[in-house]
Amino acid sequence: MTNRVFDLIVLGSGGAGLGAALAAAGQGMSVCLLEKGAQIGGGTATSYGTIWAPANRLAAQAGLADDLTQGMAYAQFCAGGTALATNLSTYVTNASRVMDRLMSWGVGLELALGLPDAFYPHGPGSCSDGRRMIEAAPIQRSAMGAWSEALRPAHYCPPGVSWGDVARWGGFANRRNWDAVELARREKEGWLGAGQGLVAQLLVAYLQKGGHLELNVGATELVFAQQRVCGVRTSSTDDIYEARQGVVLACGGYEGNAELVQRFEGLPDWLNPFAPTNQGDGMVMATEHGAAIYRSAVNHGLLVGCAIPTRNNEFFSIGLHGMPYPGAIAVNQQGERFCDESRFQEVVHAFHHFDRAKHRFINLPAHMVFDDRYRQQYAIAGAPPGQAAPDWVAQAPTLEALAEKIGVDATGMVHTVERFNQFAIDGEDLDFGRGKSAFSKSTAGDANKGKFAQLGPLDTPPYYAIQLRVGGIVGTGLLTNEHAQVMHVRGHPIAGLYACGNTAAPTDTGVGYQGGASIGSGVIFGCLAAEHAANARP
Ligand SMILES: Cc1cc2nc3c(=O)[nH]c(=O)nc-3n(C[C@H](O)[C@H](O)[C@H](O)COP(=O)(O)OP(=O)(O)OC[C@H]3O[C@@H](n4cnc5c(N)ncnc54)[C@H](O)[C@@H]3O)c2cc1C
């Protein structure tokens, strides 16, 4: 048995793990980053890759000064009193400093101008121009060298397109009008943007600092000596990976673990939007040594998706990429609409409604229904706009036939569509106020269509339906303090053990998920973990 000895061991190559690993390497520690899967980047690579960072230096340099007290007010509004005050303020007050540190170690970052504090633009202290949203500067795949082959693929933004680009180019619904020549150039030259770009930026900086990375090595157990964590056992070898100064659990959540999802999320029709290797390993390894877990009062980090059968039933975020566009609605089994479909947060909230008389979820299963005019204009689950609907999308010449095909009450659905079509003609959804929220106005829908950006009739056969699924950032994780140390159920930190990203509970954001706050939290607390470990030499 050979021992491998490092200062810090980091588990997981998503944004949180890469942030922690880079911060440790940047401070001169020897670091071993272990990734259970064969690919680098986890769910972070497939995400939009934004980081919410109030009062950051990039904004100040661009003449877009931000006030930290305003950022704090917004974060507190979002949390609605459900975050741990110290962790919330640690996020807000360290965001800018951590971004500076990342840039000083070579990570290219830029402002995602055009992206507002989108989820709660009505909240006090919110800002609308993107000065708090940071994303990766474009980077070429070749910069990753041999590791580039292992970068996890992404499907939301075309190659080399950032979320800031999407906002500036009129949104995803306007994809038919994006500059095809520019898109082709970026793809040909191997540019990376959004989540892939962020992963590449962090990884390249980490490798340049001498960081060590191993793929296909999943940690299975923590090793203790003298009451502190001093290493991990793994699935691949009997060897212990020894850590002189600590172990950082950045293994994502339990999104791919059906049993833990059932135990903690309690919603049917769940679909994992992240890597299949996200099995809750961090939570399991830590709780077997007394770690405390913490559950968010309400999980607002959920998304509305659908499964793509041709990609191994991969999660696709259709709640943002499709459902808000004119000509699509969501219906339950009664064929009724149940919320403003242009706000995926509302859709997810409505999924939780439980009928106490019938003893079942009222709005699950649910379907997105749309017509052929929609198909002609918009991308279906990421395919280029105007293409024939894929085989896996239910299709029928009439609404009645479609309803029958998907097991929905036909009379109810026909009535619902007739009523909605009138709203679409009048330009006002009298049932749910679709398109009126500040979020919908800023981010969702087809901005080119003004008053009708989210409203369009379903009147052009054939008709189509896609079953909706729920998935996202899980609401339960390890309880951590302001240094990202994992807390014991007895109330003290477990020496040498840290957690960040979705392995840690959302104690900093509480119920108030804001776009960019998840990766932001992972990277910021990952960096704080590495700083604490660096100063805590045993
Ligand atoms: C469509 C979409 C868009 C999103 N966009 C944004 C956005 O713009 N901004 C934002 O803040 N959030 C966004 N999110 C949420 C965000 O992507 C995730 O919450 C975040 O990336 C999680 O990062 P992480 O590092 O904690 O975990 P992950 O990125 O999921 O990485 C965890 C890694 O740990 C590995 N692992 C698991 N177990 C082990 C083990 N035992 N040993 C070693 N390795 C292990 C996994 O294989 C995986 O690679 C988005 C989510 C979706 C679905």
Side-chain angles (χ1 to χ4, degrees), residues 37 57 60 71 73 81 142 161 168 268 277 290 304-305 331 347 373 379 412 415 464 469 487 493 498 507 526 528 533:
R57 190 165 53 85
S142 53
V161 173
R168 290 183 288 271
T277 36
V304 179
V331 297
V347 185
R373 190 203 328 241
H415 171 75
Y464 306 90
R469 305 286 294 269
M487 301 300 293
Y498 302 86
T507 52
L528 292 171

Side-chain angles (χ1 to χ4, degrees), residues 331-334 336 338 350-351 353 360-366:
V331 297
N332 59 20
Q333 274 193 294
Q334 291 73 53
E336 296 160 348
F338 48 89
F351 282 163
H353 295 172
R360 63 174 181 80
F361 287 96
I362 303 173
N363 298 318
L364 285 170

Side-chain angles (χ1 to χ4, degrees), residues 241-275:
Y241 286 72
E242 226 174 275
R244 292 188 201 98
Q245 285 162 253
V247 170
V248 180
L249 305 172
C251 346
Y254 47 81
E255 302 88 3
N257 184 324
E259 192 190 329
L260 294 182
V261 163
Q262 188 184 26
R263 219 182 281 169
F264 295 115
E265 301 301 321
L267 270 183
D269 293 344
W270 176 273
L271 193 60
N272 175 15
F274 303 130

Side-chain angles (χ1 to χ4, degrees), residues 337-394:
R337 291 178 65 219
F338 48 89
C339 61
D340 169 2
E341 299 93 338
S342 66
R343 295 195 72 220
F344 69 87
Q345 304 94 330
E346 289 297 318
V347 185
V348 169
H349 188 67
F351 282 163
H352 286 88
H353 295 172
F354 190 79
D355 185 324
R356 275 177 295 173
K358 295 184 181 139
H359 258 248
R360 63 174 181 80
F361 287 96
I362 303 173
N363 298 318
L364 285 170
H367 287 83
M368 169 174 137
V369 175
F370 55 102
D371 73 345
D372 203 57
R373 190 203 328 241
Y374 175 104
R375 180 200 63 77
Q376 289 163 30
Q377 295 181 77
Y378 304 120
I380 299 176
Q387 282 197 348
D391 289 348
W392 55 266
V393 175

Side-chain angles (χ1 to χ4, degrees), residues 11-17 34-37 41-44 46-50 156 217-219 250-252 273-275 277-278 281 285 303 315 317 473 500-502 513 515-520:
L11 307 180
S13 68
L34 298 179
E35 167 53 55
K36 180 180 179 181
T44 309
T46 54
S47 79
Y48 310 127
T50 56
Y156 296 110
V217 182
C251 346
F274 303 130
T277 36
N278 285 15
D281 295 354
M285 285 187 278
L303 300 167
F315 179 100
S317 172
I473 304 166
C500 53
N502 292 347
Y513 180 69
S518 174
I519 298 175

